[in-house]
Amino acid sequence: MQAATMDPAEETPSMLWGLDPIFSAFARLYVRDILQMTESTQVPGIYFYNSHPIYKVDVLGTVVYKRERDDFFCYGVDDGTGVINCLCWKNDLLKEEANPTKSRGKHSDGAKGGFNPATELEKLRQAQQSRCHLEIGELLRVRGPVKTSRQQREIMASTYYKVNDPVMAVQIAWMMEVPQLYRQCYDKPPQLQPTATGDSGISSLSKATNTIKDFFKQQSVSRFRPYDVQDLLQPLISSQPQTASADQEPVAGPSACQQLRQLLKEALQILQDEGIVYRKVKSQDEVYHVTAHDTDLRIAVKDIIREDSKREKYAEKGCHILHILSAVRQRYSLNVSKAALELVLKSLECNSDIVSTSDSHYTVF
């Protein structure tokens, strides 16, 4: 494999890599993406996936070939997207060539019928041997830094072990988790810009949403109208500088009132997208409900889960979140978003009113 390097002009400065949490974690990437990552021109051994700096990975796959040397195993691991070499060093226990006859003799001299530390240590060594010595077709999980040796991408294992997965539960859970990590982390561009000191680094829109959130916490309001929070944002408009050079005519722009209404509109939209507020009925009278303080919505969601969990279809795993969302929209309000429902479910689960039986399924005790 020809090792690809990243364009220096597009590469993030190394001093900012630590701002990306993926850099310090074992990235659960597909083998295909590990093989295709570009290498840094600043620091050899650092690679980039979607501009995320990565140097250590976590892989689960099937052993498709193996080589053994005195000091290490070399396993070829296939996760369904590609095959990568994993260099797994032997520890001292695996290197030792103990004499079984001599060991049994020493063990028999110990406390007969009681606890023998030497015997237990030998059992531990054998168990470790069986977990680290794999055959073709067995499942291997390996963690470690990525290296390029002789134009071949490989993993230098810091931790590796055989995974016993007779009913494929581990592999199924892995296949469900990794796509979520891609959507939520790896496929999103990194935010590596250093945080500015002071309020100048925070946009007016961010300040506006934070101001409204603080108002909800302090006043414990369950519903409000836009004019109830509009005055809270007035300082954000007044503090914006209006400057013009001496030799230029002032340029006509939106008035302070228009800016305030636009800022409030955008802030409320963000809060709706996050599920923090929602409109139960869309009408000319703009009434927003605060999700965290809406007792009626909590009761409606809890009743839906309690009633539908009794049905044979949902008795075993509980109700899926999409089913709950559909039922809430039919019985309570068409305008409840999935984000708002997730906040309600999280709150009910924290209060032990409901329990999540599996991924996105809920039932009552």
Side-chain angles (χ1 to χ4, degrees):
M1 184 194 84
Q2 185 66 35
T5 57
M6 195 167 187
D7 187 352
E10 299 178 357
E11 189 172 325
T12 307
S14 59
M15 64 181 297
L16 300 180
W17 292 348
L19 299 176
D20 191 341
I22 297 176
F23 179 65
S24 58
F26 288 93
R28 296 188 180 185
L29 295 174
Y30 295 122
V31 169
R32 173 196 61 210
D33 295 326
I34 297 174
L35 297 174
Q36 295 176 354
M37 289 191 303
T38 55
E39 189 171 7
S40 170
T41 57
Q42 302 176 65
V43 182
I46 304 297
Y47 302 86
F48 288 93
Y49 175 80
N50 194 24
S51 298
H52 289 286
I54 291 172
Y55 76 97
K56 52 185 182 180
V57 295
D58 188 354
V59 170
L60 178 73
T62 304
V63 176
V64 294
Y65 65 81
K66 58 172 287 188
R67 296 198 310 270
E68 182 177 359
R69 297 292 184 267
D70 292 338
D71 294 330
F72 63 88
F73 298 103
C74 183
Y75 295 113
V77 178
D78 184 355
D79 72 341
T81 66
V83 181
I84 190 169
N85 289 332
C86 298
L87 196 62
C88 304
W89 294 94
K90 297 180 180 179
N91 58 22
D92 293 337
L93 287 176
L94 292 176
K95 294 179 183 178
E96 289 178 358
E97 294 293 335
N99 189 334
T101 306
K102 184 177 179 181
S103 299
R104 281 194 294 269
K106 287 185 178 181
H107 300 162
S108 61
D109 293 338
K112 296 182 178 180
F115 177 79
N116 191 319
T119 302
E120 298 302 320
L121 183 61
E122 177 64 20
K123 291 180 180 178
L124 179 62
R125 189 185 70 83
Q126 292 176 356
Q128 187 175 20
Q129 261 189 330
S130 65
R131 294 294 297 273
C132 297
H133 197 137
L134 286 85
E135 301 296 335
I136 292 177
E138 293 182 320
L139 193 64
L140 172 67
R141 183 171 182 180
V142 57
R143 285 180 160 193
V146 181
K147 301 292 182 183
T148 301
S149 176
R150 297 185 295 276
Q151 297 186 346
Q152 292 290 329
R153 194 72 51 83
E154 60 186 15
I155 301 174
M156 305 289 289
S158 56
T159 302
Y160 70 98
Y161 56 89
K162 178 170 65 176
V163 178
N164 294 320
D165 191 24
V167 295
M168 302 185 71
V170 176
Q171 296 176 75
I172 292 173
W174 186 277
M175 288 187 291
M176 293 178 64
E177 183 177 358
V178 172
Q180 291 186 7
L181 289 173
Y182 268 84
R183 287 192 295 267
Q184 298 173 5
C185 303
Y186 306 144
D187 287 341
K188 290 185 177 180
Q191 303 294 328
L192 300 182
Q193 294 303 319
T195 303
T197 57
D199 293 341
S200 60
I202 307 176
S203 68
S204 297
L205 186 56
S206 298
K207 292 180 184 178
T209 54
N210 291 333
T211 299
I212 298 176
K213 289 177 184 178
D214 292 339
F215 172 73
F216 295 158
K217 293 178 182 178
Q218 295 170 6
Q219 303 298 327
S220 297
V221 296
S222 60
R223 60 181 184 175
F224 67 96
R225 291 175 173 82
Y227 58 74
D228 294 327
V229 296
Q230 181 171 304
D231 291 342
L232 300 173
L233 309 185
Q234 184 64 50
L236 302 178
I237 301 299
S238 303
S239 62
Q240 293 180 358
Q242 301 292 334
T243 60
S245 59
D247 57 344
Q248 288 183 340
E249 291 291 334
V251 179
S255 64
C257 185
Q258 291 174 326
Q259 294 180 38
L260 181 60
R261 285 198 296 266
Q262 182 63 26
L263 180 61
L264 177 61
K265 180 181 178 181
E266 294 177 1
L268 290 175
Q269 184 60 51
I270 290 177
L271 294 174
Q272 287 187 85
D273 294 341
E274 294 177 354
I276 296 174
V277 302
Y278 73 99
R279 294 178 63 184
K280 184 176 180 179
V281 179
K282 290 189 177 181
S283 62
Q284 291 184 346
D285 184 18
E286 290 187 63
V287 178
Y288 290 85
H289 291 253
V290 181
T291 305
H293 302 152
D294 192 341
T295 305
D296 293 338
L297 177 59
R298 291 165 57 90
I299 294 174
V301 172
K302 186 178 177 181
D303 289 345
I304 288 170
I305 297 175
R306 181 189 295 110
E307 293 172 8
D308 290 2
S309 295
K310 297 177 181 177
R311 297 165 57 183
E312 183 179 357
K313 182 178 180 181
Y314 306 109
E316 182 178 354
K317 294 184 64 177
C319 302
H320 191 272
I321 186 173
L322 295 181
H323 168 76
I324 301 172
L325 180 61
S326 176
V328 168
R329 287 175 173 173
Q330 290 177 10
R331 307 179 199 179
Y332 185 76
S333 171
L334 287 171
N335 303 317
V336 176
S337 66
K338 184 180 179 183
L341 177 60
E342 288 174 343
L343 292 180
V344 174
L345 292 172
K346 183 177 180 181
S347 176
L348 290 172
E349 190 172 10
C350 289
N351 293 334
S352 299
D353 293 322
I354 62 173
V355 61
S356 57
T357 57
S358 62
D359 185 34
S360 301
H361 287 78
Y362 298 87
T363 188
V364 294
F365 283 106

